[in-house]
Amino acid sequence: MTTTALIIDDEPDIRELIALTLTRMGLEIHAAANLEEARHLLEAYSFDVCLTDMRLPDGNGVEFVKTIHSMHPQLPVAVITAHGNMDEAVDAMKNGAYDFVSKPVDINQLRKLVVQAVTISNSISKRSEEASNDNTDTDVANRPVDSTLDTLSKRDPLRADPVPKLAAKTLIGQSQPMKELRNMIAKVARTNAPVWITGESGTGKELIAKLIHQHGPRADAPFIAINCGAIPSELMESELFGHKKGSFTGAVNDSDGLFKRAEGGTLFLDEVAELPLHMQVKLLRAIQERSVRPVGGSDEIPVDVRILSASHKDLSVEVDQGVFRHDLYYRLNVISLRSPSLSERTDDIPELVEHLLHRIQKHLPSNQCTSLSHDAMQVLERYVFTGNVRELENILERAVALSDGLVIDVTDLGINTESKKSSNTNNSNNLGGAVRSMDDNERERLVAALEAARWNRKAAAVALGLTYRQLRYRIEQLGIEDNDRGAA
């Protein structure tokens, strides 16, 4: 099946250069000098990829991208911009463009962009075929792809599966927020635009980033994640961009940075709000120029990576406070995707509990607990999870350790049963203080029981109505030691 491209540019030299490049890759080319010609071609032919200039004699490229996106939502459109005009490129991607290429056109970058766009186009076509025909042709996965495209792209464009279906195996839950999230992942995976993932701590932002990567055309290339708050500021530049031997004390060899290690793939910048201002400037330049300069180096090194980023902080507030650059925020927040909190999808808790318990039990003896009691499940459904899914997993791990039977009960959960899901999450600081107060009260109660039993743990456990293992676990969690004797 022939791969077809539409090129729209009013400069004959640019049209000819792009057409020649794509023809050598095995594509069939149709070219237009203006938007009117392009509209006629779109009516007459079916295209796999479109490249359009941003400034045309009879209209604006961004408006045309909107038109194509509304009429042909599955068609990847890449825009051609003047060198350094990143604002136009960002505006186009916000309105549905797949990616951009700057003038003068870099042939290698153009070829990679087209391969990725065709991969997306073909995978979408395949999914549409499968949706409309339950009796899928058994030879569909063996259909030939143009030899040049096949050489350039390790990923067979026809082997991708529907993103929502696959994501459901990892993103647990059938609530409306989760269905919407899976649909958004399916959409943004088809683009090359930077994605800004927002959400509270513990909601799985890195997992979302991985799914975007895994279901896009870069899936066979590296996915590199970095927590920007976990690396000392003086080492950040070297970590991101690499360094040359002798560029600083301890640089005994040349080193590739994370940008270079993610070549062809995806770089996920978690907690990007923690970047110091001087690194924000350097990151902005790397994104705009699509190149990096290693510490101690004199040459720019081209890089081809997709940028995904996240933070639990509200970057718009950080921008207003002057601690995060507005221009970098604008570059990172081309597409925004929000990860819902657990309080927004409490209907998913039973399914999440089952999934997490199954994962926890893989590392435990077969005679340990396998389920929650009805009362324990109700407590979890009412509980305010300030730490979201991560907190739920921690509670279940603790409950498995404390439980003596096959069923986890309310007392095994070790949480504040008075916490209601109707509680205002703005009172999280008050809740944290209440939890600390509970811990202090429990500590005093345990120490008092140990004192009364002359620090005989088994006798104290009986007096408290706990098993010996439960008492030992709580002693360890609360840090009760022999020097607490006499503290009650």
Side-chain angles (χ1 to χ4, degrees), residues 224 226 231-262 267 269 275-276 278-279 282-283 292-297 301:
I224 303 293
I226 177 174
I231 298 175
S233 59
E234 62 271 16
L235 298 178
M236 183 62 72
E237 185 175 359
S238 172
E239 282 291 319
L240 286 177
F241 309 136
H243 62 257
K244 293 295 183 181
K245 179 180 178 180
S247 57
F248 55 84
T249 303
V252 294
N253 294 300
D254 288 354
S255 175
D256 291 333
L258 295 177
F259 265 86
K260 198 61 185 173
R261 290 177 208 162
L267 182 61
L269 303 171
L275 280 176
H278 76 279
M279 279 306 305
K282 294 177 184 292
L283 176 60
V292 297
R293 179 180 296 169
V295 177
I301 300 175

Side-chain angles (χ1 to χ4, degrees), residues 101-175:
V101 61
S102 299
K103 296 179 182 180
V105 176
D106 182 303
I107 298 302
N108 289 329
Q109 182 186 344
L110 175 66
R111 288 163 64 90
K112 289 178 182 177
L113 183 152
V114 170
V115 168
Q116 291 167 357
V118 171
T119 299
I120 288 291
S121 182
N122 286 343
S123 65
I124 292 172
S125 298
K126 184 208 173 194
R127 292 201 289 268
S128 297
E129 283 181 25
E130 291 177 342
S132 61
N133 183 10
D134 291 335
N135 300 316
T136 306
D137 180 1
T138 55
D139 292 328
V140 70
N142 297 319
R143 289 181 192 163
V145 182
D146 176 82
S147 58
T148 306
L149 288 172
D150 196 39
T151 301
L152 285 170
S153 177
K154 296 178 182 179
R155 182 174 174 82
D156 179 358
L158 298 175
R159 80 171 186 224
D161 292 316
V163 174
K165 179 181 175 182
L166 284 182
K169 297 178 182 179
T170 309
L171 288 175
I172 306 300
Q174 298 304 317
S175 62

Side-chain angles (χ1 to χ4, degrees), residues 2 32 51 88 167 188 237 242 358 389:
T2 304
L51 291 99
E88 279 190 349
V188 301
E237 185 175 359
H358 179 71
V389 178

Side-chain angles (χ1 to χ4, degrees), residues 166-218:
L166 284 182
K169 297 178 182 179
T170 309
L171 288 175
I172 306 300
Q174 298 304 317
S175 62
Q176 190 59 33
M178 294 307 288
K179 290 178 181 177
E180 292 173 359
L181 177 60
R182 282 193 282 270
N183 286 331
M184 277 298 295
I185 290 172
K187 291 178 181 179
V188 301
R190 298 200 300 256
T191 78
N192 213 25
V195 178
W196 167 243
I197 305 170
T198 66
E200 297 176 7
S201 294
T203 54
K205 295 187 285 294
E206 183 171 345
L207 174 60
I208 292 168
K210 285 181 180 176
L211 287 169
I212 293 171
H213 169 77
Q214 289 168 1
H215 300 300
R218 297 174 177 266

Side-chain angles (χ1 to χ4, degrees), residues 43 89 94 107 123 127 187 204 249 301 351 397 423 425 436 443 456:
E43 292 173 359
K94 282 182 179 290
I107 298 302
S123 65
R127 292 201 289 268
K187 291 178 181 179
T249 303
I301 300 175
E351 189 178 351
E397 286 181 345
S423 297
T425 54
R436 285 192 296 274
R443 196 175 195 283
N456 182 317

